[in-house]
Amino acid sequence: MKDETESALSNVNSNGAHPDGRVKALPQNLAVKCPNCREVLVGKDWEKNFHICSKCGYHFRLSAPERIELLLDEGTFEEFAADLTSGDPLSFVSRSQPYRTKLETERANTGLTEAVVVGRGQIEGMPLVIVVMDFRFIGGSMGTIVGEKITRAIETAADERLPLLICSASGGARMQEGLLSLMQMAKTSAALGHLADVGCPYISLLTDPTTGGVSASFAFLGDVILAEPGALIGFAGPRVIEQAIHQKLPKDTNTADFVRAHGMIDDIVHRRDLRAVLGQLLRIYGQCMEVVTVESSAANE
Amino acid sequence: MKDETESALSNVNSNGAHPDGRVKALPQNLAVKCPNCREVLVGKDWEKNFHICSKCGYHFRLSAPERIELLLDEGTFEEFAADLTSGDPLSFVSRSQPYRTKLETERANTGLTEAVVVGRGQIEGMPLVIVVMDFRFIGGSMGTIVGEKITRAIETAADERLPLLICSASGGARMQEGLLSLMQMAKTSAALGHLADVGCPYISLLTDPTTGGVSASFAFLGDVILAEPGALIGFAGPRVIEQAIHQKLPKDTNTADFVRAHGMIDDIVHRRDLRAVLGQLLRIYGQCMEVVTVESSAANE
Amino acid sequence: MAYDLDFERPLAVLERQISEQEKKVEGAQRRPDRHKPGELDAMAAELANLREKLIQETRSTYAKLSPWERVQVARHKQRPYTRDYIKLMCEEFFELRGDRHYGDDRAIQGGVACLNGRAVVILGHQKGRDTRERMECNFGMAHPEGYRKAMRLMRHAERFHMPVITLIDIAGAAIDLEAEERGISVAIAENLIGMAQLRTPILCVVTGEGGSGGALGISVGDRILMLEHSIYTVASPEAAASILWRDSAFAPNAAETMKITAQDLLERGLIEEIVPEPLGGAHRDLAEMAAILKDTITHNLNELCALPVNELLQARYQRYRAIGESSHALAPAASVS
Amino acid sequence: MAYDLDFERPLAVLERQISEQEKKVEGAQRRPDRHKPGELDAMAAELANLREKLIQETRSTYAKLSPWERVQVARHKQRPYTRDYIKLMCEEFFELRGDRHYGDDRAIQGGVACLNGRAVVILGHQKGRDTRERMECNFGMAHPEGYRKAMRLMRHAERFHMPVITLIDIAGAAIDLEAEERGISVAIAENLIGMAQLRTPILCVVTGEGGSGGALGISVGDRILMLEHSIYTVASPEAAASILWRDSAFAPNAAETMKITAQDLLERGLIEEIVPEPLGGAHRDLAEMAAILKDTITHNLNELCALPVNELLQARYQRYRAIGESSHALAPAASVS
Ligand SMILES: [Zn+2]
Ligand SMILES: [Zn+2]
């Protein structure tokens, strides 16, 4: 599944961005160049503008810490399961590069322990469990530890009767962990089944890109599914599809607009409105959650 | 909904059949003419051949008594709810013709009390509840009594833990009983929900034609849905659709082949194979019904 | 808003007189010196008189609307639609889109909302106001994906124990090749069984036209309410006329004979309640209409949400089971032998 | 059936020798007078010897297949497919078609059946044998409607308390515009949650290629079995090679490194059981393969059907929950800080 995204990526970023999606800041971070319209943006303005291009509206990718800062009430984030780090279950080596080394490099580069950060936090004063993937870490790919951390987040939400928000950004399953990675799709989905049983709402936010095994599991199982404008969303990336069918695809294939038009998501939300929309949803679902937890615990007996 | 079928009918039978679907037998019933290929068929052969044209395979419509004779083991049919006959809840009169008079005429012409016959019977020695609609009776339209008889059949199947077979042949709801007719769609569907809860299988056989309110309710709710070859099946008849969209439709629109190709039914079964296929299904579901009824009655407590 | 329906012509005449009188009074007020003493007061009194007369006439006209006239009101192009009600009734609303299978049918729209502090799922047909919106909504004539989206939203409500409110206003389900290809029959049928068994309250309100299977596909519930001038019918009067009278010009006769008005259906026990409309129809005062409906919905939901869900489901089953039983009020025992 | 895989070349040589020897013996038997006494017996002995050698060689070849060689066997064009198994294993079978939404995907087929006197729902990928069937089945690469049909059949099984048997053999889910338009991601995702919660036993058997999400979409269950020479992988060896080795020619390396064989996966606790294949692979004796599989399925279903459904579901949840927990055998405690 990884291949699809990697191809897709080179597609998306063909005009200047680093292939792993990180944007190269110009000297001293004074300015950044929009990979979509090539406009040079003043760094400070760009940061105030939620990392959105003021000219064309392009939503730059956010790292997990940036996303958390954007969405949560200041100072409310409490990370958990941070100490879980991937092993190398298959002792995987490709092109003389051990997976173990790759992991170490990614940790050093990103300052993260894995491609996902999970924890508790608040939005507009309302508590929730939040999961944020980081595409910089091996393309946000889901290995056993990513799956494990997400599953623990889901279980925490279920145990504590909290709403769950997952912000996806992933190319799919992590090939270096073989079938163990694929099974994380089943594991996370099963956990979401349990969450639904106890009546906690799950909001899924699809950010650029959400493809492969992540899109074919928890990302598309949200009670409410939102997407950021322009995000690449789909099972396969457009490049991979074009290679498979030997045809050019319509330009909007597997964009946020595409999946909304085909009834797969509820809405596309501009980044500056995200907090407000999430706040509104938490208020609405908050009104029925007490009812639900009481009734469902009765029903489960 | 009726209009759709009536239009559709004139479409289907444009080459010789009586507009109500009855085939005019040639003198002394020695021969019948196929409305599809115009072949003149020897009456006795035609009857032995399940009322199918030996040349083109056209399945002539069957009356309810003919259908029952075709499907059930000889002498096993026990009708119930036969004494229910339609009233005239709206005192309906159109073009100086009272609905009440229309009902009397239909009764006299068909020898039936309503557009459906329900009862118990056996196929290959296995008991079931059977519902057979008769298109001759006001286009097989569903009024309150048709809905009531079908609902009683469903409830009987549920009460006696028997499989249910419904053979549909209808243009839809009966306009002369107004909204009461439309509500029979909800009533029969709700009853099928109850049947499903107790684990009795429901086999729906769609015969020519099955449209309108019947297709949009119990006919398409079968656990297994079968159709006879060539049957007109759909919400609207092709004529009505063509009038609505001002375009010609592809020739096979809303045929048995069409609905199978679009995933709406399980299979098309030639009339000579029907008894065998039904027998097979009853054997398969028979093996799990005892399990089901025991477990579901436990679950319902 | 001008009186623009056929049967409103006398009201339109009065309206024109009022507007002329208004101009007169205004002119006179601008130049009071040109008028005799008392003349100005008389003119103002005449205006008040005309206005009062319009109210009286409107009241008496609307008190004895024929079924066919009600059809005109139910179909009025300024009649409030689902989006209007949502906007005017709900404190919060978030639209849920798509059937997760094929598309997002704009002919049925809905989402999660707060209504008087209660979390609900609200959905309904949307005919569309201007030409662009009407095209986008296919004039409210829903396709299979609309019914599937509706069912998805209702399952959502069930999961979160929210009551469901459906608003019905549709001439009829989409009649085209695409609707058949994607199984409009199956989609409606599955909603009938799904709604009959949904483990949360369902309150259905016919706000305009309740047209046949396309209406029924989102109107199986615990209670069916109808707006005062709405209709609910097994087939459109035109369709019924063209078949049973062989001429669609007999639509008014069909409307009469088929008993399609809220009043006819309440009398026959097929609906639970009539929601009064502002004088002259819902389209004359959307805000008032929405306020009335909000109150009505609230008192109904208060009752329905208080019931244990198993009781609710049993009552819902019985509600439909009783329609057309030989014992039913509408089928005189005499004629059911 | 000829030995036609690359690594079977020595066997193919032996096979040719046997066939030549057979002709010799046959010719000699026709004209025994032309041969010295004992010569005929010696020829027959040589033939028997060759045959025995072929069996031995086949056995030793297949006992030490490399992962990449297993990939070749798993993909063999004569390998038994779902329809073969259904035909050979089930006493009765009735196909259930269609997703009731859009179409009938021939890449996943299934229905109700009797298997050793038990009513079951059995379904699986169908790659297709001849060109026409392969086209019709899209080479087994299923579209969203295939996964939705599969889920429909599984709900059917749940309703009638029939256990579900799924047969997995797919290179990967369909990769094309239509698959994306109709939501291949959503379809697979909903099957994962649906199967995790299905209230009836699910037994999954990888019969050929278990290819990524397209395989997983019908293989969440209580037990996963794999045929002796089948594979199950997160990405095809070719795809993995072209990304991680930047050259698809490294597919054999990827096959080795990714641990995709039944033996590798049993060792790692990711599957429950390996189903032995006839000598030389399932395609050499479909009837024997089906008989072995039927026995295996039967003993597994006997056990699963005996469990109370709540226990079954809890065990199923735990089965997946445990994969990749820090305590899992595969993630050495040392590396999980
Ligand atoms: Zn830009
Ligand atoms: Zn013929």
Side-chain angles (χ1 to χ4, degrees):
Chain A
M1 305 216 170
K2 182 82 181 317
D3 58 331
E4 295 142 14
T5 309
E6 296 221 346
S7 310
L9 276 183
S10 19
N11 206 8
V12 167
N13 294 324
S14 52
N15 33 20
H18 190 276
D20 74 353
R22 276 166 288 172
V23 172
K24 277 192 179 160
L26 299 191
Q28 290 141 350
N29 213 20
L30 285 171
V32 289
K33 192 170 174 184
C34 172
N36 187 46
C37 74
R38 294 171 186 238
E39 180 81 355
V40 176
L41 306 162
V42 177
K44 271 196 295 184
D45 297 350
W46 171 73
E47 279 173 16
K48 271 193 216 152
N49 196 29
F50 313 101
H51 296 214
I52 298 167
C53 171
S54 54
K55 193 180 173 203
C56 74
Y58 175 78
H59 283 51
F60 287 70
R61 289 183 184 148
L62 296 185
S63 69
E66 285 165 346
R67 172 75 58 190
I68 288 166
E69 193 191 335
L70 171 78
L71 295 180
L72 293 190
D73 298 346
E74 213 183 319
T76 62
F77 183 62
E78 293 168 35
E79 190 175 0
F80 58 76
D83 55 337
L84 291 181
T85 55
S86 290
D88 177 12
L90 308 184
S91 306
F92 197 94
V93 178
S94 61
R95 301 177 70 236
S96 314
Q97 190 193 34
Y99 171 49
R100 203 174 283 269
T101 313
K102 171 120 183 152
L103 283 171
E104 278 159 25
T105 315
E106 296 288 303
R107 281 176 203 140
N109 284 346
T110 61
L112 300 176
T113 53
E114 248 300 345
V116 72
V117 175
V118 306
R120 293 179 195 79
Q122 295 186 9
I123 292 177
E124 298 188 1
M126 292 168 285
L128 76 162
V129 170
I130 185 169
V131 171
V132 182
M133 302 189 81
D134 195 312
F135 191 73
R136 297 173 304 159
F137 199 108
I138 318 187
S141 58
M142 174 160 61
T144 51
I145 295 304
V146 170
E148 180 65 22
K149 288 176 80 169
I150 293 174
T151 303
R152 292 202 188 174
I154 297 168
E155 290 175 337
T156 302
D159 289 348
E160 302 178 11
R161 298 294 191 267
L162 289 174
L164 171 70
L165 169 65
I166 300 184
C167 307
S168 295
S170 171
R174 187 170 296 172
M175 273 178 295
Q176 293 92 335
E177 298 186 20
L179 201 67
L180 286 163
S181 296
L182 192 76
M183 291 301 153
Q184 303 309 311
M185 295 169 64
K187 180 166 102 177
T188 52
S189 300
L192 286 172
H194 175 57
L195 186 73
D197 284 346
V198 301
C200 296
Y202 159 35
I203 301 166
S204 175
L205 174 65
L206 314 182
T207 76
D208 187 56
T210 299
T211 62
V214 165
S215 86
S217 61
F218 59 83
F220 267 118
L221 292 174
D223 293 308
V224 178
I225 307 179
L226 309 175
E228 282 202 331
L232 169 68
I233 300 164
F235 188 61
R239 277 272 180 96
V240 174
I241 301 176
E242 288 182 346
Q243 282 164 11
I245 64 175
H246 307 292
Q247 274 177 26
K248 271 274 168 208
L249 288 173
K251 212 185 152 199
D252 81 331
T253 305
N254 286 5
T255 60
D257 285 324
F258 178 94
V259 290
R260 188 175 71 173
H262 288 98
M264 305 302 161
I265 65 169
D266 292 299
D267 215 348
I268 298 169
V269 182
H270 195 281
R271 194 174 284 166
R272 74 166 167 261
D273 302 326
L274 259 180
R275 256 179 69 86
V277 165
L278 292 170
Q280 186 190 30
L281 287 169
L282 292 177
R283 273 195 305 281
I284 296 175
Y285 289 96
Q287 283 180 322
C288 60
M289 275 190 69
E290 204 163 317
V291 183
V292 174
T293 50
V294 171
E295 294 190 21
S296 70
S297 62
N300 282 346
E301 270 155 27
Chain B
M1 303 213 171
K2 181 86 182 313
D3 58 331
E4 295 142 14
T5 310
E6 296 219 347
S7 310
L9 276 183
S10 18
N11 205 7
V12 168
N13 294 324
S14 54
N15 34 19
H18 190 276
D20 73 352
R22 276 166 289 173
V23 172
K24 278 192 178 159
L26 298 192
Q28 290 143 349
N29 213 19
L30 284 172
V32 289
K33 192 171 173 182
C34 171
N36 186 46
C37 73
R38 295 169 185 241
E39 181 81 355
V40 175
L41 306 163
V42 178
K44 272 196 297 187
D45 297 348
W46 172 75
E47 281 174 14
K48 270 193 215 151
N49 197 28
F50 312 102
H51 295 214
I52 298 167
C53 170
S54 55
K55 193 179 172 204
C56 73
Y58 175 78
H59 283 51
F60 287 70
R61 288 183 184 149
L62 296 185
S63 68
E66 285 164 347
R67 174 75 57 189
I68 289 166
E69 194 192 334
L70 171 78
L71 295 180
L72 294 190
D73 298 346
E74 215 182 318
T76 62
F77 183 63
E78 294 168 34
E79 190 175 0
F80 58 76
D83 55 337
L84 292 181
T85 55
S86 290
D88 177 13
L90 308 184
S91 306
F92 197 95
V93 178
S94 62
R95 302 176 72 237
S96 314
Q97 191 194 34
Y99 172 49
R100 202 174 283 270
T101 313
K102 171 121 184 151
L103 284 170
E104 277 158 25
T105 315
E106 295 288 302
R107 282 177 201 138
N109 284 347
T110 60
L112 301 176
T113 53
E114 248 302 345
V116 71
V117 175
V118 306
R120 293 180 195 79
Q122 295 185 9
I123 292 177
E124 298 188 1
M126 292 168 285
L128 76 163
V129 170
I130 185 169
V131 171
V132 183
M133 303 189 81
D134 195 313
F135 191 73
R136 297 172 305 159
F137 198 107
I138 319 189
S141 59
M142 173 157 64
T144 51
I145 295 305
V146 169
E148 180 64 24
K149 289 176 80 169
I150 293 174
T151 304
R152 292 203 188 173
I154 297 168
E155 290 175 336
T156 302
D159 290 347
E160 302 179 10
R161 298 294 191 267
L162 289 174
L164 171 71
L165 169 66
I166 300 184
C167 307
S168 294
S170 171
R174 187 171 296 172
M175 272 177 294
Q176 293 93 336
E177 297 186 21
L179 201 67
L180 286 163
S181 296
L182 193 75
M183 292 301 152
Q184 303 309 310
M185 294 168 64
K187 180 166 103 177
T188 51
S189 300
L192 286 172
H194 174 57
L195 185 73
D197 284 345
V198 300
C200 297
Y202 158 36
I203 301 166
S204 175
L205 174 66
L206 314 182
T207 76
D208 186 56
T210 298
T211 63
V214 165
S215 85
S217 61
F218 59 83
F220 267 117
L221 292 174
D223 294 306
V224 178
I225 308 179
L226 309 175
E228 282 203 331
L232 170 67
I233 299 164
F235 187 61
R239 277 271 180 97
V240 174
I241 301 176
E242 288 182 347
Q243 282 164 11
I245 64 174
H246 307 292
Q247 275 178 23
K248 272 274 168 207
L249 289 174
K251 214 186 149 195
D252 80 332
T253 305
N254 287 4
T255 60
D257 285 323
F258 178 95
V259 290
R260 188 175 71 173
H262 287 98
M264 305 301 161
I265 65 170
D266 292 298
D267 215 349
I268 299 169
V269 182
H270 194 281
R271 193 174 284 164
R272 74 166 168 260
D273 302 326
L274 260 180
R275 254 179 71 86
V277 166
L278 293 170
Q280 186 190 30
L281 287 169
L282 293 177
R283 273 196 305 280
I284 296 175
Y285 289 95
Q287 283 180 323
C288 59
M289 275 189 67
E290 204 162 318
V291 184
V292 175
T293 51
V294 171
E295 294 189 21
S296 70
S297 61
N300 283 345
E301 273 156 24
Chain C
M1 185 173 306
Y3 288 94
D4 53 2
L5 298 172
D6 276 359
F7 66 85
E8 293 179 325
R9 242 169 256 161
L11 306 177
V13 170
L14 259 176
E15 202 172 40
R16 225 170 302 122
Q17 290 173 352
I18 289 170
S19 129
E20 280 159 19
Q21 189 67 17
E22 277 168 345
K23 270 182 221 143
K24 259 200 216 157
V25 171
E26 213 175 281
Q29 281 169 334
R30 238 180 284 125
R31 310 290 290 268
D33 50 310
R34 293 195 183 179
H35 296 270
K36 296 187 198 134
E39 203 181 349
L40 226 147
D41 286 350
M43 284 164 76
E46 169 63 9
L47 178 58
N49 187 28
L50 282 168
R51 282 178 173 154
E52 179 57 29
K53 195 173 168 195
L54 178 59
I55 291 171
Q56 295 300 340
E57 290 285 312
T58 304
R59 187 165 289 137
S60 70
T61 302
Y62 271 81
K64 53 175 175 48
L65 288 184
S66 74
W68 182 242
E69 286 163 351
R70 282 197 207 277
V71 172
Q72 307 314 309
V73 180
R75 291 175 179 170
H76 197 286
K77 287 207 190 301
Q78 296 305 318
R79 197 163 176 86
Y81 297 140
T82 291
R83 297 294 308 209
D84 299 312
Y85 287 113
I86 289 173
K87 202 169 162 186
L88 294 165
M89 296 193 307
C90 302
E91 301 101 62
E92 309 251 21
F93 175 69
F94 185 81
E95 184 173 1
L96 299 175
R97 292 169 189 245
D99 66 348
R100 300 291 183 267
H101 282 71
Y102 185 86
D104 180 50
D105 188 349
R106 304 308 292 156
I108 293 183
Q109 299 182 24
V112 285
C114 286
L115 192 136
N116 263 341
R118 177 187 273 124
V120 301
V121 161
I122 182 166
L123 61 95
H125 301 109
Q126 178 71 11
K127 286 183 170 178
R129 189 70 66 199
D130 58 29
T131 307
R132 191 197 51 74
E133 201 202 354
R134 279 172 186 263
M135 297 290 286
E136 191 182 279
C137 295
N138 196 34
F139 302 86
M141 293 182 292
H143 279 88
E145 43 277 18
Y147 292 97
R148 290 179 179 130
K149 172 169 70 173
M151 200 64 233
R152 182 175 83 78
L153 267 61
M154 292 188 272
R155 294 255 170 258
H156 189 95
E158 183 179 49
R159 167 177 299 177
F160 295 109
H161 298 236
M162 298 178 187
V164 174
I165 300 157
T166 70
L167 305 179
I168 292 102
D169 187 12
I170 182 172
I175 299 286
D176 55 34
L177 181 57
E178 295 224 311
E180 301 290 343
E181 285 177 334
R182 300 197 292 274
I184 185 73
S185 288
V186 176
I188 292 175
E190 291 187 346
N191 278 20
L192 303 186
I193 198 168
M195 295 180 84
Q197 301 200 300
L198 199 80
R199 299 182 64 78
T200 197
I202 305 176
L203 181 63
C204 308
V205 184
V206 182
T207 57
E209 286 183 275
S212 195
L216 190 66
I218 60 167
S219 68
V220 174
D222 301 299
R223 295 185 187 173
I224 316 294
L225 319 185
M226 285 179 73
L227 262 52
E228 186 181 350
H229 306 307
S230 69
I231 59 165
Y232 197 175
T233 175
V234 66
S236 75
E238 289 86 347
S242 71
I243 296 163
L244 296 176
W245 279 264
R246 313 237 167 123
D247 183 352
S248 62
F250 283 86
N253 303 54
E256 176 79 39
T257 316
M258 289 203 296
K259 310 298 178 205
I260 65 177
T261 68
Q263 297 70 28
D264 281 329
L265 296 169
L266 182 70
E267 198 178 300
R268 282 163 178 77
L270 287 171
I271 65 167
E272 273 72 16
E273 189 174 337
I274 294 175
V275 186
E277 297 191 18
L279 185 59
H283 58 284
R284 304 200 76 82
D285 194 338
L286 271 60
E288 193 193 337
M289 184 67 249
I292 297 170
L293 184 56
K294 184 174 181 172
D295 274 359
T296 312
I297 288 174
T298 303
H299 86 73
N300 275 283
L301 288 187
N302 286 345
E303 291 170 16
L304 292 174
C305 292
L307 294 173
V309 72
N310 285 338
E311 260 177 52
L312 189 81
L313 285 184
Q314 222 150 15
R316 193 185 301 158
Y317 187 85
Q318 283 310 321
R319 184 192 184 283
Y320 288 93
R321 183 64 192 85
I323 300 175
E325 265 190 345
S326 48
S327 63
H328 191 269
L330 256 191
S335 68
V336 179
S337 65
Chain D
M1 184 173 307
Y3 288 93
D4 52 1
L5 297 173
D6 275 359
F7 67 85
E8 292 179 326
R9 241 171 256 162
L11 307 177
V13 169
L14 259 175
E15 201 172 40
R16 224 170 305 122
Q17 289 173 351
I18 289 171
S19 131
E20 278 159 22
Q21 187 69 16
E22 276 168 346
K23 268 181 223 144
K24 260 200 216 161
V25 171
E26 211 176 283
Q29 280 168 337
R30 235 180 287 125
R31 309 290 290 268
D33 49 313
R34 295 198 181 177
H35 294 271
K36 294 189 197 133
E39 201 181 352
L40 225 146
D41 286 347
M43 284 163 76
E46 169 65 7
L47 177 58
N49 187 30
L50 282 169
R51 282 176 173 157
E52 180 56 29
K53 195 174 170 197
L54 178 58
I55 291 171
Q56 296 300 342
E57 289 285 310
T58 304
R59 184 164 292 138
S60 71
T61 301
Y62 271 80
K64 53 175 174 50
L65 288 184
S66 74
W68 182 242
E69 285 164 350
R70 283 197 207 276
V71 171
Q72 308 315 309
V73 179
R75 291 176 179 170
H76 196 285
K77 287 206 190 301
Q78 296 304 318
R79 197 159 175 89
Y81 296 141
T82 291
R83 298 294 308 207
D84 299 313
Y85 288 113
I86 288 174
K87 203 170 163 186
L88 293 165
M89 296 193 308
C90 302
E91 301 101 63
E92 309 251 20
F93 175 70
F94 185 81
E95 183 174 1
L96 298 176
R97 290 170 191 246
D99 66 348
R100 301 289 183 267
H101 282 71
Y102 185 87
D104 180 51
D105 188 350
R106 304 308 292 155
I108 294 183
Q109 299 182 24
V112 284
C114 285
L115 193 135
N116 263 342
R118 176 188 275 124
V120 301
V121 161
I122 182 165
L123 62 95
H125 300 109
Q126 178 71 11
K127 286 184 170 176
R129 189 69 66 198
D130 58 29
T131 308
R132 190 197 52 74
E133 201 201 353
R134 279 170 186 265
M135 297 290 285
E136 190 182 279
C137 295
N138 196 35
F139 302 87
M141 293 181 293
H143 279 87
E145 44 276 18
Y147 292 97
R148 292 181 177 128
K149 171 168 73 174
M151 200 64 233
R152 182 176 82 78
L153 266 60
M154 292 188 272
R155 294 255 170 259
H156 189 95
E158 184 179 48
R159 167 176 298 177
F160 295 108
H161 297 236
M162 299 178 185
V164 173
I165 301 157
T166 70
L167 305 180
I168 291 102
D169 188 12
I170 182 172
I175 300 285
D176 56 33
L177 181 58
E178 296 224 309
E180 300 289 343
E181 285 176 334
R182 300 197 293 274
I184 185 74
S185 288
V186 176
I188 291 175
E190 292 188 343
N191 278 21
L192 302 187
I193 198 168
M195 294 180 83
Q197 301 199 300
L198 199 80
R199 300 182 63 79
T200 197
I202 304 176
L203 181 63
C204 308
V205 185
V206 182
T207 57
E209 284 184 279
S212 195
L216 190 66
I218 61 167
S219 68
V220 174
D222 301 298
R223 295 184 187 174
I224 317 294
L225 319 185
M226 286 181 73
L227 262 53
E228 186 180 352
H229 306 306
S230 69
I231 59 165
Y232 197 175
T233 174
V234 66
S236 75
E238 289 86 346
S242 71
I243 296 163
L244 297 176
W245 279 263
R246 312 237 168 122
D247 183 351
S248 63
F250 283 85
N253 304 53
E256 176 79 37
T257 317
M258 288 203 297
K259 309 297 179 204
I260 65 177
T261 67
Q263 296 71 27
D264 281 329
L265 297 170
L266 182 70
E267 199 178 299
R268 282 162 179 76
L270 287 171
I271 65 167
E272 272 71 16
E273 189 174 338
I274 294 176
V275 187
E277 298 191 17
L279 185 60
H283 58 283
R284 304 200 76 83
D285 194 338
L286 272 59
E288 194 194 336
M289 184 67 249
I292 297 169
L293 184 56
K294 185 174 181 172
D295 274 358
T296 313
I297 288 174
T298 303
H299 86 73
N300 275 285
L301 288 187
N302 286 346
E303 291 169 16
L304 293 174
C305 292
L307 294 173
V309 73
N310 285 338
E311 260 178 53
L312 189 80
L313 285 184
Q314 222 150 13
R316 193 185 300 157
Y317 186 84
Q318 282 312 322
R319 184 192 184 284
Y320 287 93
R321 183 64 191 86
I323 300 175
E325 264 189 346
S326 49
S327 64
H328 192 268
L330 256 191
S335 67
V336 179
S337 67

